[in-house]
Amino acid sequence: MRVGDRADCLALDAADELGALREEFDLPQRPVFLNGNSLGPPPRATWHRLSKVVREQWRADMNSAWWKHGWLDLPRTVGDRVGRLVGAAPGQTVVGESTSVNLFKLLCAALELNPGRRTVLTDAGNFPSDLYIADGVVRHVRPDVRVRRVEAHALAGALDEDTAVVVLSHVDYRTGELLPMREINRRAHAAGSLVLWDLAHSAGVVPVGLDADGTDLAVGCGYKYLNGGPGAPGYLYVAARLLPRVEQPVTGWLGHAEPFAFEAGYRPADGVGRLLTGCPPLLSLVALEEGVRLAGNVDTRLVRAKSLALTGLFAELAERAGAQVVSPRAPQRRGGHVSVRHPDAERIAKGLAGEGFMAEVRVPDLIRVGLSPLSVRYVDVWDAAAALGRVLTA
Amino acid sequence: MRVGDRADCLALDAADELGALREEFDLPQRPVFLNGNSLGPPPRATWHRLSKVVREQWRADMNSAWWKHGWLDLPRTVGDRVGRLVGAAPGQTVVGESTSVNLFKLLCAALELNPGRRTVLTDAGNFPSDLYIADGVVRHVRPDVRVRRVEAHALAGALDEDTAVVVLSHVDYRTGELLPMREINRRAHAAGSLVLWDLAHSAGVVPVGLDADGTDLAVGCGYKYLNGGPGAPGYLYVAARLLPRVEQPVTGWLGHAEPFAFEAGYRPADGVGRLLTGCPPLLSLVALEEGVRLAGNVDTRLVRAKSLALTGLFAELAERAGAQVVSPRAPQRRGGHVSVRHPDAERIAKGLAGEGFMAEVRVPDLIRVGLSPLSVRYVDVWDAAAALGRVLTA
C-alpha cells in the first residue's frame, strides 16, 4: 500500500498481523523508542519469569535448582531456541558468556581448524569490539597470524590461499547494510577459508539461514531484537560438521563432558556444549529465554515483511523531509535499521528526543533509527519522520 | 562458651550480633541449607532491586539507562564493593564475565607479566575448572609453557627459577583448608613468581587482605558467600602496581579507554577497567551488587568469629556422632565449610536431605557442609549434627 498520510499508517497498524504482539511488551506511552536495536524493550513475561526464579526456585531449592529446574540445561536449550530463529538445527548453538568472549573463543577455534593459514580477513568497518577482539587474538594468542582489514566491497577480492577465516557482521551496525551470507560463505569456502559471522544486528529481524547458507561459525548478542534484557548473554553457533574437531581455548568446567564428576583432566563435552566455559548468569539467562521465546512465536517472514515496510517508509519520509539516508534502499541489502547522516548528529538526536523519539548517534555523524517490528508501529514511523523534519529545519 | 546441649545453641543465637541479618534473606522454614557455600540464599533487597531495574529503569529509559542509571559504571563500582570485602583499595577490582573466563584472562596476563619463565605451578587438588583453564591456556595460547601440579604441602619446595605464576585456591573446595596467603605470596615473590588466587570459597566468610598480603592477582565468584544469585558474574583483582603494564587477551570494547568513541584501534582503559571485555549481564550484576552490599554492611571480624564457632561446633558434634571430619581443626587453617568423609557419601547426603538438611556431595566420598554465618544459626548446626548422627547409624 502507498502511504500518503498519517491515516494510512493508522490503517496499516489496524491491519498489522503483528500488531497484537506489542501488548506482550511493557512499553511506556512516551517516548517512542527507535533504539530497540540497541536494547529491546522488556517483555511482560520476563518479569513473571524472574519472579518465579528468584522467589520460588532460588529461594526454595537453592543450589539444587540447577538440576531440579533445569537451569544447567539452559545454555543448550536457550541456545536451540536461538538456533531456530537463525536457521540452525538443534545441537549447534549455545548461550553463555558475552558476545565478545564468544567471538574470541570461535576466532581462536577457527584458526586451529584451518592450520597453516595465517590471515584473519575482516571488514574495516566491522563493529569495533569485533575488530578489537581479532587484534587481541593476534597480539596475545596467535602472533603468527595477521589481521587484514579491507572495505566490505573488496572482501571477495582479498580472499587468498592464506586466509584462514573471514570475520564479518551480517548487518552493518552503522548503515544497516545486509551482507549476502550464502554468497560470501560460498566464495570463502572456494578459497579454503572459514567464515565467522556476527549476527548482532540481524538475528530476530532479518531472516538468517545458518544451516541452509552453509555457515561455519557465528556469534550474536541477545539484547537487541531478541529482547533478552540489558547485557543479555551472547550465543554462539558451530556447524555440526565442525563440532567433532572444534576446540576452544577457554576450557572451563561447563564445557567438560561431566562437569560434576570433577575429573582431574579436561575432557570436552560431545557437541556444541564443549564451547561453554563458566557458570552462566542465570537471572540474565532466563530473561533472555523469555525474549527469545517471544521472538520465536512469530513467523519470521511476517517480521521481515513488516521490518522492510517500516524501514522503507522511514527512509522515504526522511528523504522527503530533507534528510540524507545512508542505508541501502534495495530491500535485499537492508537490515532492520535506517541511518541518517548529518554533520550535527548529536543535535539532531537531542531534538528528536525533545519530540519524544529516542534514536541513537553513532559517531561521528550518523543518527541510527532502529524499528523493531514487534513493538514499533507504522504511525510511530510517520510521527518520527515528521519530528525529524521539524528538527532538521529548526 | 562451651556448648553442652541444644538450649546452649538457642542461647548463642539469641546473643548473636549477626542474628538479625537472617531477616535480610528470604529463607524458607525448611529445609535448612548447609550449601550456602555453593549458592547463597536470596537477599530480600535483590528482589526489590530487580523490580526497579526491570519495571522502571529498563522500561522507561531503555538503552539510555546504561548512562542515566549508572549501569555502565557497575563493573567498576560493584568491583570496588567486592574489593572492600577482600582488602583491596578502590580501582583494582572489576566485575563481569564468569570466574573461569576471568581466570583465563589473568593467567594469560600473568605469563606476559613474567616473560621468560615457562611454568604454571598449581595445587593438584585445585578446583577442577581452574586446572582445566590452566591446561587450556597452555594447550591453546602458550604451548611454550607447562602446567606443573603438585600437592599443596609441596608447593613451596616446587617453586623455582622457571615458575612464572602460582595458581591457587585460597580455601580448598573439598576440605575447607585455608592456605596462608601472605606466606605463599612472600615465598613466591622471593622466587620471582607471581601468584594468582581464586577466592571463591573465602571471600565473604574468611578475612582476605589482598593489598596487605601483597597479592598480585585474584579472581572469585559472586554466588557463594557474596549471595549474588545463581551464576552471578565473577570478579577479578589486579594489584595497582601491576596495572600500568598488565594486558589481557580478550580485548573487547568495554576494556577500551573509550568504548563509545568506536575507534578503529584498541586502546586499553587506564586502570583495572582494561580487564573488562563485553557487555555485563546487567540483571545478574545488580543482583550481585545487592548480595555484596549486604555482606559489606557487616564487620568481617564478627563474620569470621561466628564462622569459626559454627564450623568448630559442627566438626566437634559430627565427630562425637561418629563422623570422619577431614577439615582442619586449627582455626587458622580452616575456611567456611566442613567436610565429612564417608564411603557412601551420596546415601548420607540423601539421608540428611530427608531430615531437612541440604548438604552437598563432592565425589567420590565427601559430604560438604557450608555454614554461611549470615544465615545459619547455632541451633541449625546442633540439629544438623544430630541428624547426621541418626543417618550414620541408620
Side-chain angles (χ1 to χ4, degrees), chain A residues 9-353:
Chain A
C9 289
L10 291 171
L12 283 168
D13 286 324
D16 179 12
E17 288 186 71
L18 301 177
L21 278 167
R22 213 175 126 81
E23 293 309 309
E24 304 285 325
F25 295 96
D26 187 14
L27 297 168
Q29 277 297 318
R30 278 284 181 234
V32 172
F33 290 105
L34 306 175
N35 55 2
N37 57 330
S38 281
L39 173 60
R44 293 183 194 278
T46 301
W47 179 244
H48 298 296
R49 178 70 177 279
L50 283 169
S51 172
K52 188 180 173 107
V53 166
V54 173
R55 310 185 83 177
E56 297 174 27
Q57 298 176 344
W58 176 11
R59 173 181 185 271
D61 297 302
M62 295 272 285
N63 203 53
S64 58
W66 284 99
W67 291 266
K68 186 169 173 186
H69 302 293
W71 294 355
L72 265 182
D73 301 326
L74 288 175
R76 288 168 170 85
T77 55
V78 180
D80 280 341
R81 269 189 201 282
V82 174
R84 278 198 290 279
L85 276 172
V86 292
Q92 303 174 100
T93 313
V94 280
V95 169
E97 314 297 350
S98 63
T99 309
S100 292
V101 167
N102 286 335
L103 184 66
F104 175 88
K105 293 201 268 191
L106 288 196
L107 182 50
C108 291
L111 290 167
E112 291 193 23
L113 283 168
N114 210 351
R117 292 180 168 225
R118 303 292 171 85
T119 300
V120 175
L121 184 63
T122 188
D123 175 3
N126 202 349
F127 186 63
S129 195
D130 294 19
L131 297 174
Y132 303 159
I133 288 289
D135 286 346
V137 166
V138 166
R139 182 175 171 87
H140 299 285
V141 182
R142 290 295 301 267
D144 56 323
V145 169
R146 66 170 185 154
V147 176
R148 187 171 168 207
R149 300 183 183 188
V150 301
E151 298 301 321
H153 64 82
L155 281 163
L159 281 163
D160 63 25
E161 70 288 345
D162 195 54
T163 311
V165 56
V166 186
V167 180
L168 291 176
S169 288
H170 193 198
V171 168
D172 187 296
Y173 80 105
R174 299 156 309 171
T175 63
E177 177 164 3
L178 173 66
L179 293 184
M181 183 178 282
R182 181 179 304 198
E183 171 68 11
I184 289 174
N185 286 342
R186 196 186 55 72
R187 282 178 181 250
H189 292 168
S193 173
L194 295 163
V195 189
L196 167 45
W197 290 97
D198 183 338
L199 309 178
H201 282 280
S202 59
V205 69
V206 166
V208 185
L210 294 182
D211 290 346
D213 284 352
T215 294
D216 305 303
L217 307 161
V219 299
C221 84
Y223 47 79
K224 297 179 184 290
Y225 298 102
L226 302 186
N227 305 304
Y235 53 89
L236 63 80
Y237 161 93
V238 177
R241 67 183 179 283
L242 299 174
L243 281 173
R245 57 197 183 95
V246 74
E247 291 194 43
Q248 55 101 359
V250 197
T251 51
W253 63 330
L254 288 206
H256 193 283
E258 291 187 69
F260 295 92
F262 296 106
E263 294 174 5
Y266 184 72
R267 190 163 53 88
D270 284 339
V272 70
R274 63 174 53 190
L275 277 304
L276 295 171
T277 297
C279 212
L282 202 272
L283 304 182
S284 288
L285 180 53
V286 298
L288 173 61
E289 180 164 37
E290 294 307 321
V292 176
R293 191 199 307 273
L294 212 172
N297 283 340
V298 190
D299 183 336
T300 51
R301 286 165 303 181
L302 288 179
V303 173
R304 175 61 169 166
K306 182 175 175 187
S307 169
L308 284 173
L310 292 174
T311 52
L313 177 61
F314 183 80
E316 184 189 326
L317 295 174
E319 285 198 337
R320 227 188 279 166
Q324 183 196 352
V325 174
V326 302
S327 302
R329 297 301 292 274
Q332 71 276 16
R333 292 182 52 226
R334 197 161 77 227
H337 64 274
V338 175
S339 290
V340 165
R341 175 163 285 142
H342 193 284
D344 207 358
E346 281 286 358
R347 181 179 64 77
I348 303 299
K350 282 212 176 82
L352 276 173

Side-chain angles (χ1 to χ4, degrees), chain B residues 1-308:
Chain B
M1 140 176 207
R2 166 93 194 133
V3 175
D5 58 18
R6 193 172 188 273
D8 289 343
C9 289
L10 291 171
L12 282 169
D13 287 322
D16 179 11
E17 290 185 71
L18 300 179
L21 278 168
R22 215 174 123 81
E23 293 308 310
E24 304 284 326
F25 294 96
D26 187 15
L27 298 168
Q29 278 297 318
R30 277 283 182 238
V32 173
F33 290 106
L34 305 175
N35 55 2
N37 57 330
S38 282
L39 172 61
R44 293 183 194 279
T46 300
W47 178 243
H48 297 297
R49 179 69 177 280
L50 283 169
S51 172
K52 189 181 173 107
V53 165
V54 174
R55 310 184 83 179
E56 298 175 24
Q57 297 175 345
W58 175 11
R59 173 181 186 271
D61 297 302
M62 295 270 285
N63 203 52
S64 59
W66 284 99
W67 290 267
K68 186 170 174 185
H69 302 294
W71 292 357
L72 265 181
D73 301 327
L74 289 175
R76 288 168 170 86
T77 55
V78 180
D80 281 340
R81 269 190 201 280
V82 174
R84 279 199 290 281
L85 276 173
V86 292
Q92 302 175 102
T93 313
V94 280
V95 169
E97 315 296 349
S98 63
T99 309
S100 292
V101 168
N102 286 334
L103 184 67
F104 175 88
K105 294 202 266 191
L106 288 194
L107 182 50
C108 291
L111 290 168
E112 291 193 24
L113 283 168
N114 211 352
R117 291 179 169 227
R118 305 289 172 86
T119 299
V120 174
L121 184 62
T122 189
D123 175 3
N126 202 349
F127 186 64
S129 194
D130 295 20
L131 297 174
Y132 303 158
I133 288 288
D135 286 346
V137 167
V138 165
R139 180 174 172 87
H140 298 285
V141 182
R142 292 294 300 266
D144 57 322
V145 169
R146 65 168 186 157
V147 176
R148 188 173 167 206
R149 301 181 182 189
V150 302
E151 297 302 319
H153 64 83
L155 280 163
L159 280 163
D160 64 26
E161 69 290 341
D162 195 54
T163 311
V165 56
V166 186
V167 180
L168 291 175
S169 288
H170 193 198
V171 169
D172 187 294
Y173 81 105
R174 299 156 308 170
T175 63
E177 177 164 5
L178 173 65
L179 293 184
M181 184 179 284
R182 182 179 304 199
E183 171 68 11
I184 289 174
N185 286 342
R186 196 186 57 70
R187 283 177 180 251
H189 292 168
S193 173
L194 296 163
V195 189
L196 167 45
W197 289 96
D198 183 338
L199 309 177
H201 282 280
S202 60
V205 70
V206 166
V208 185
L210 294 182
D211 291 347
D213 284 351
T215 294
D216 304 304
L217 305 162
V219 300
C221 84
Y223 47 81
K224 296 179 184 291
Y225 297 102
L226 302 187
N227 305 304
Y235 54 89
L236 62 81
Y237 161 93
V238 177
R241 67 184 180 284
L242 299 175
L243 281 174
R245 57 197 182 93
V246 74
E247 290 193 46
Q248 55 101 359
V250 198
T251 52
W253 63 328
L254 288 204
H256 193 283
E258 291 186 68
F260 294 92
F262 296 105
E263 294 174 5
Y266 184 73
R267 188 160 57 85
D270 284 339
V272 71
R274 64 175 53 190
L275 278 303
L276 295 172
T277 297
C279 212
L282 202 271
L283 304 182
S284 289
L285 180 52
V286 299
L288 173 61
E289 180 164 36
E290 294 308 320
V292 176
R293 191 200 307 272
L294 211 172
N297 283 340
V298 189
D299 183 335
T300 52
R301 286 165 305 185
L302 289 179
V303 173
R304 175 62 168 165
K306 181 175 175 188
S307 169
L308 285 173

